[in-house]
Amino acid sequence: MSSPESASNPPALARSLQSRHIQLIAIGGTIGVGLFLGSAKAIHKAGPALLLSYAIGGVAIFFIMRALGELLTYRPVAGSFASYADEFIGPFAGFVTGWSYWFMWVVTAMAEMTAIGKYTQYWLLVPQWLPALCALALLYGANTLAVRVYGELEFWFALIKVITIVALIAVGLGVIVLGAGSLGPTASFSNLWTHGGLLPFGPIGVLLTLQIVMFAYTGVELIGVTAGEADNPSVVLPRATNSIIWRILIFYLGALVIIMALVPWDRLDPDTSPFVFVFEKIGIPAAASVINLVVITAAASSCNGGIYSTGRMLYTLAQRGQAPSIFGKLSHRHVPLPGINASAAVMLIGVILNYLVPDRVFTWVTSIALVGALWTWIIIMLAHRSYRTAVAAGRARAVPYRMPCAPIANWLVVGFLLFVSAMLALDPDTRVALYVAPFWFGLLWLGYARLKPAPGIDAV
């Protein structure tokens, strides 16, 4: 039941998320399918050159997060991307950004559900769609609770993933240095360049994996959605933004280096999680089962973040008059329950896809989700550029937390993201995203034309 609304008691999100919650939520949203499952296919396509892809993408993410951190310090509100786009670019940009980010996380959640279905088959011969449906039902229930409960749950989910990656790196180093276990005699960092070289497929291998890499980074901007529920946001958000960047780079690059040093990249199975594969090869079967359970936890954690963010984005859009007003209502626990209900209902499409096309659904949905992520990141850079212009003209307040190398970095990152968008056309499986994108943006244009948004009304 929604809480009663009045002029003296408007709906408001509870600022209950502490620094540790926000840092782990953003890390947890990023470390999921992209690393634990998507990296297997990416390694198969690029070999060790995948490290270069992650490094290039990581530089772009660094500037995106610094730009977002500056905007969040300027004005920490829920659904920040839509608010900044509306203020510094225009109402239509805010409308498209809010709905595209909602769409991105709905589709990303479908990818995470697909991963859960695949991982469960490691133990149980059940249809891929069944574990996906069960996961969605459980995570939906968790998101109807108070935000602090969600933050605590996500904190521990993400911590499990971080500990697992650290353990992989530590055990892997032990095998390489000491020559321990069944992989010891052949494990070596030289495996990175002795199996076809560092660029076994040439530069095209790097280019073809950019979409997988950038999808893996999807979720790092989730910190912007938590801004409306952060305790002491002016201190918490910049600190979390700084720490997220280098931690994610270490986790991704460190884990991939160890994996390809333990097992030559051309011996990895593109359809199996490299974490599970490596621990099996080390000769610890029980560890492989544990890692598989962790991988399921990782996917569930990221999906959980997707349900959280979609509910908050619909709430923000409704507060701005750009979505049905029902989505602007909160439950008595200060949770945007109508938005969560609607988002979870749409995510059921992922269950249907896992029933109809289980072998192709993962590539399809990750490619489509990437379009929404690329749009969001581009908007962040453009809004930041306009914000700096407004500061110079005295129309906006300057903040001490700043993105370096502006405005050159803004345009270079935007150009890079547009290039990644174009690269989707090279692979028949990822090309589906370019078919969906015009339909989606055309639908948004029609929706905006029918609305009469109320610009200047921001979510609290």
Side-chain angles (χ1 to χ4, degrees):
M1 180 180 298
S2 298
S3 57
E5 300 172 26
S6 66
S8 60
N9 185 31
L13 297 171
R15 289 194 177 272
S16 303
L17 295 178
Q18 301 173 2
S19 177
R20 65 185 181 90
H21 295 139
I22 291 176
Q23 291 193 42
L24 270 294
I25 286 171
I27 292 175
T30 303
I31 301 176
V33 168
L35 176 61
F36 288 112
L37 180 62
S39 60
K41 185 169 291 187
I43 291 172
H44 185 70
K45 286 187 175 183
L50 180 63
L51 297 172
L52 180 59
S53 298
Y54 272 102
I56 294 172
V59 172
I61 291 297
F62 166 78
F63 286 108
I64 291 168
M65 291 304 296
R66 289 293 302 229
L68 177 59
E70 186 172 346
L71 292 169
L72 289 172
T73 306
Y74 161 71
R75 192 155 60 89
V77 293
S80 56
F81 322 116
S83 297
Y84 304 142
D86 183 273
E87 180 176 356
F88 296 113
I89 302 177
F92 179 64
F95 176 81
V96 173
T97 301
W99 278 105
S100 293
Y101 194 71
W102 172 85
F103 178 69
M104 180 202 81
W105 266 113
V106 164
V107 179
T108 299
M110 294 180 188
E112 305 291 0
M113 290 157 49
T114 300
I116 292 171
K118 286 179 177 288
Y119 298 150
T120 303
Q121 290 177 333
Y122 180 80
W123 298 304
L124 303 173
L125 294 178
V126 296
Q128 189 169 300
W129 62 269
L130 183 58
L133 177 61
C134 294
L136 178 60
L138 290 173
L139 295 173
Y140 162 75
N143 273 270
T144 61
L145 303 175
V147 67
R148 188 177 181 87
V149 177
Y150 159 79
E152 204 65 41
L153 179 65
E154 194 63 20
F155 172 85
W156 291 107
F157 271 168
L159 191 61
I160 290 172
K161 291 186 284 188
V162 170
I163 291 174
T164 301
I165 295 173
V166 171
L168 172 77
I169 294 174
V171 171
L173 283 174
V175 171
I176 296 168
V177 174
L178 302 176
S182 59
L183 289 180
T186 58
S188 171
F189 288 112
S190 64
N191 286 331
L192 294 170
W193 57 82
T194 56
H195 290 259
L198 291 173
L199 296 170
F201 299 102
I204 192 65
V206 177
L207 299 180
L208 288 176
T209 53
L210 281 177
Q211 71 90 10
I212 298 176
V213 166
M214 295 311 291
F215 174 78
Y217 286 128
T218 299
V220 69
E221 75 294 321
L222 188 59
I223 187 175
V225 183
T226 67
E229 294 169 286
D231 180 25
N232 196 11
S234 62
V235 175
V236 168
L237 296 177
R239 183 186 303 163
T241 301
N242 283 336
S243 64
I244 287 167
I245 297 167
W246 66 265
R247 288 179 184 178
I248 289 175
L249 282 175
I250 290 175
F251 293 150
Y252 272 96
L253 294 179
L256 291 174
V257 165
I258 293 299
I259 286 171
M260 287 187 281
L262 290 173
V263 181
W265 68 269
D266 51 358
R267 286 172 51 195
L268 291 170
D269 185 349
D271 296 320
T272 302
S273 166
F275 283 74
V276 174
F277 187 86
V278 163
F279 273 85
E280 282 184 328
K281 291 297 182 181
I282 287 176
I284 314 175
S289 292
V290 171
I291 292 298
N292 200 66
L293 178 61
V294 171
V295 169
I296 291 176
T297 302
S301 170
S302 189
C303 183
N304 199 27
I307 298 174
Y308 167 85
S309 60
T310 51
R312 270 66 184 177
M313 189 55 72
L314 287 181
Y315 171 78
T316 296
L317 288 166
Q319 291 288 300
R320 301 182 65 84
Q322 296 178 336
S325 59
I326 183 65
F327 296 138
K329 297 181 181 297
L330 300 177
S331 72
H332 66 279
R333 296 189 177 98
H334 298 272
V335 171
L337 193 56
I340 291 174
N341 291 341
S343 300
V346 177
M347 289 173 189
L348 284 171
I349 296 175
V351 177
I352 297 173
L353 290 175
N354 272 277
Y355 175 76
L356 297 175
V357 284
D359 295 331
R360 305 185 71 179
V361 61
F362 181 77
T363 302
W364 285 2
V365 296
T366 54
S367 302
I368 294 171
L370 182 59
V371 173
L374 292 172
W375 172 273
T376 300
W377 294 338
I378 288 172
I379 287 296
I380 289 172
M381 299 309 289
L382 294 179
H384 176 266
R385 175 70 187 98
S386 297
Y387 161 72
R388 283 287 188 90
T389 301
V391 169
R395 300 191 306 270
R397 173 178 58 88
V399 295
Y401 187 87
R402 296 169 67 84
M403 185 198 80
C405 304
I408 296 175
N410 297 73
W411 300 122
L412 289 177
V413 171
V414 168
F416 170 73
L417 296 175
L418 291 174
F419 175 76
V420 174
S421 302
M423 293 304 298
L424 293 174
L426 297 183
D427 190 320
D429 286 334
T430 61
R431 201 175 298 151
V432 66
L434 300 181
Y435 301 146
V436 173
F439 172 78
W440 171 250
F441 288 115
L443 187 65
L444 289 179
W445 182 83
L446 291 175
Y448 184 80
R450 293 179 62 87
L451 284 175
K452 292 183 178 180
I457 303 176
D458 295 317
V460 177

